[in-house]
Amino acid sequence: MKHLHMKIRVYFIIGVTLLLSMTNKVQAQEKEVLNFEEYLSLVGKKNLGYAAQKYNIGMAEASIQTASMFPDPQLDLETTNNGIKENMGYVYGASIGWTLELGGKRKARVNLAKDQSELSKIQLQDFFRNLRADATLGYLEALKSKAILEVQQDSYKNILQLAKSDSIRYRLGTISLVTSKQSKLEAASLLNEIYQAESAEQQAITGLAVFLSDGKITDRDVAGDFNAFNRDFNIDDLIIQALNTRADLLAAKQNTQVAKSQINLEKANRKIDLGINAGAERHTEATNEIAPSPTVNAVKLGLSIPLKFSNRRNAGVKIAEMAHSQAELEYHQIEQGIQAEVMQAYQQYIATQKQVKQFHNGMLTEAKSILDGITYSYKRGESSILEVLNAQRTYNGVRKDYYQALADNATALIELERRAGIWDINF
């Protein structure tokens, strides 16, 4: 029996040593905190997808300059031998030709390019709207994983302390060996759950690297207040706000303007263009005995008028008009979809608010008081170890559900603001 007591004491010492070693390791590796405001700022600066989208604006603005250019002039050079054997002399000529665009083609091209440039800017805003919300959801996942890990660590410490007490009580003969082993087995099981929770937290932190395009994020920690996601909204005001500010709806509206400008360009392209040509020729001396002639200089002017037989088919204009009608339908479809999205997001947010209030109305306190009461009874010999372990598991489950409810509430608020086109998230 003495030998058995010694084994239990050695196991307990090893367990305490492991706990102290793990605690010291955590304290020695404290990470620098990356707060949410700094994180979101880095997302705007470092995200590669957002940086790639910015090039669309530069290319669209360059297209405006291209569209505003006039047609380049054309230089023609020619020479003619009037008669190889007859010595009728040579003709040397040079001319410059221009295409004179009529019908407002240049203006139509510029207007279309400007509308497309504005569309690119709005699309960039919409890209960042979604990027900002998705990045925030990633940060919340890391914050929730950290909270779950802390729950597991607290539970492990409590059971480990209970195992220590049970070891002493067993040596004193007040509890059985089976009871003492039960608490130690539970502590070992909780330690495995800690390892799993640590992995989940590390994966959530690593997931933030996608938004920052920076692998060094794994060396940072997250922090924030889950209770900072309480807002009071009026659903009618939210819908009006969304219809006035949602970037994707503004982009759809701008797309109808782009389609309209495309119609104007197609109509302008149906107008004829004039070709103007001006040049000079020099006829050298002809030494032919039958018809000699002196050197002669000549000036010539020309005008070319294209015959637009293709105008009898106006397929380009019809296609542009159909594209405009399609863009208008898509705009109204997005408009209707936004109203439904805002309503659904609002309903989800109200539901998560109710869930959080349930926890604040005493669920956590009651679960903790039950655990404390059963633990106290167990130490007095009035309850079993299984009752203590069940109460501990219940308390852990309630705490995990609480953090999940907080995370769901925060997620619902972010999705609501994403769909309403507003943003005031900071925690």
Side-chain angles (χ1 to χ4, degrees), residues 162-280:
L162 184 64
K164 175 182 177 181
S165 175
D166 283 352
S167 179
I168 296 174
R169 293 173 66 192
Y170 170 66
R171 291 199 305 270
L172 295 176
T174 58
I175 62 173
S176 66
L177 177 61
V178 173
T179 300
S180 178
K181 285 184 176 181
Q182 185 72 37
S183 58
K184 290 180 175 62
L185 182 62
E186 185 70 14
S189 177
L190 288 174
L191 186 57
N192 283 334
E193 292 184 12
I194 286 180
Y195 295 150
Q196 185 177 2
E198 285 177 339
S199 175
E201 183 198 31
Q202 291 169 359
Q203 291 180 47
I205 293 290
T206 303
L208 300 183
V210 176
F211 299 102
L212 296 180
S213 305
D214 183 2
K216 296 181 180 179
I217 185 63
T218 53
D219 299 330
R220 306 288 292 273
D221 196 7
V222 295
D225 182 11
F226 264 127
N227 292 302
F229 296 89
N230 299 311
R231 306 285 192 279
D232 292 325
F233 294 113
N234 180 282
I235 183 60
D236 294 330
D237 292 341
L238 286 177
I239 292 176
I240 293 173
Q241 176 76 15
L243 295 178
N244 288 334
T245 61
R246 272 277 291 264
D248 54 344
L249 185 61
L250 296 178
K253 185 176 183 179
Q254 181 63 24
N255 194 42
T256 62
Q257 180 59 41
V258 170
K260 187 175 181 180
S261 295
Q262 184 66 48
I263 294 175
N264 294 335
L265 178 59
E266 289 294 336
K267 290 181 177 180
N269 286 336
R270 291 170 58 83
K271 306 294 183 181
I272 64 171
D273 295 332
L274 297 179
I276 301 175
N277 183 278

Side-chain angles (χ1 to χ4, degrees), residues 78-84 86-93 280-288 291-298:
E78 60 181 350
T79 180
T80 304
N81 186 345
N82 288 330
I84 296 177
E86 290 80 6
N87 296 323
M88 295 297 293
Y90 297 89
V91 178
Y92 301 98
E281 290 182 350
R282 179 178 180 83
H283 298 255
T284 61
E285 179 183 3
T287 59
N288 184 277
S293 63
T295 299
V296 178
N297 295 323

Side-chain angles (χ1 to χ4, degrees), residues 100-366:
L100 182 60
E101 292 184 314
L102 301 179
K105 294 183 180 63
R106 177 176 175 275
K107 182 179 179 180
R109 286 198 307 270
V110 171
N111 288 340
L112 176 59
K114 287 181 177 179
D115 289 338
Q116 290 174 331
S117 177
E118 185 64 25
L119 177 60
S120 297
K121 294 176 182 178
I122 298 174
Q123 289 174 333
L124 180 66
Q125 294 175 10
D126 190 54
F127 182 89
F128 184 71
R129 176 181 70 91
N130 288 303
L131 172 65
R132 177 180 57 192
D134 291 338
T136 303
L137 292 177
Y139 193 91
L140 281 175
E141 181 62 28
L143 193 61
K144 184 191 74 174
S145 300
K146 179 182 178 181
I148 297 298
L149 174 60
E150 291 174 354
V151 170
Q152 293 298 129
Q153 290 172 337
D154 289 344
S155 177
Y156 176 69
K157 291 177 183 178
N158 291 337
I159 296 299
L160 194 64
Q161 183 64 32
L162 184 64
K164 175 182 177 181
S165 175
D166 283 352
S167 179
I168 296 174
R169 293 173 66 192
Y170 170 66
R171 291 199 305 270
L172 295 176
T174 58
I175 62 173
S176 66
L177 177 61
V178 173
T179 300
S180 178
K181 285 184 176 181
Q182 185 72 37
S183 58
K184 290 180 175 62
L185 182 62
E186 185 70 14
S189 177
L190 288 174
L191 186 57
N192 283 334
E193 292 184 12
I194 286 180
Y195 295 150
Q196 185 177 2
E198 285 177 339
S199 175
E201 183 198 31
Q202 291 169 359
Q203 291 180 47
I205 293 290
T206 303
L208 300 183
V210 176
F211 299 102
L212 296 180
S213 305
D214 183 2
K216 296 181 180 179
I217 185 63
T218 53
D219 299 330
R220 306 288 292 273
D221 196 7
V222 295
D225 182 11
F226 264 127
N227 292 302
F229 296 89
N230 299 311
R231 306 285 192 279
D232 292 325
F233 294 113
N234 180 282
I235 183 60
D236 294 330
D237 292 341
L238 286 177
I239 292 176
I240 293 173
Q241 176 76 15
L243 295 178
N244 288 334
T245 61
R246 272 277 291 264
D248 54 344
L249 185 61
L250 296 178
K253 185 176 183 179
Q254 181 63 24
N255 194 42
T256 62
Q257 180 59 41
V258 170
K260 187 175 181 180
S261 295
Q262 184 66 48
I263 294 175
N264 294 335
L265 178 59
E266 289 294 336
K267 290 181 177 180
N269 286 336
R270 291 170 58 83
K271 306 294 183 181
I272 64 171
D273 295 332
L274 297 179
I276 301 175
N277 183 278
E281 290 182 350
R282 179 178 180 83
H283 298 255
T284 61
E285 179 183 3
T287 59
N288 184 277
E289 295 180 356
I290 299 175
S293 63
T295 299
V296 178
N297 295 323
V299 176
K300 61 179 182 178
L301 296 174
L303 180 66
S304 62
I305 302 175
L307 302 177
K308 283 265 188 174
F309 296 114
S310 61
N311 278 350
R312 297 174 62 182
R313 300 182 179 90
N314 59 348
V317 175
K318 288 182 178 179
I319 292 173
E321 288 175 344
M322 286 187 287
H324 179 258
S325 298
Q326 183 185 46
E328 286 187 327
L329 289 175
E330 289 175 350
Y331 170 77
H332 292 302
Q333 181 183 16
I334 293 174
E335 187 178 38
Q336 293 176 358
I338 285 176
Q339 296 182 52
E341 286 180 8
V342 174
M343 179 64 73
Q344 291 172 343
Y346 178 76
Q347 292 168 344
Q348 177 65 21
Y349 176 67
I350 294 300
T352 57
Q353 284 274 289
K354 293 178 180 178
Q355 293 172 2
V356 171
K357 288 179 181 178
Q358 279 289 94
F359 287 96
H360 290 167
N361 286 337
M363 288 182 63
L364 281 172
T365 305
E366 185 176 355

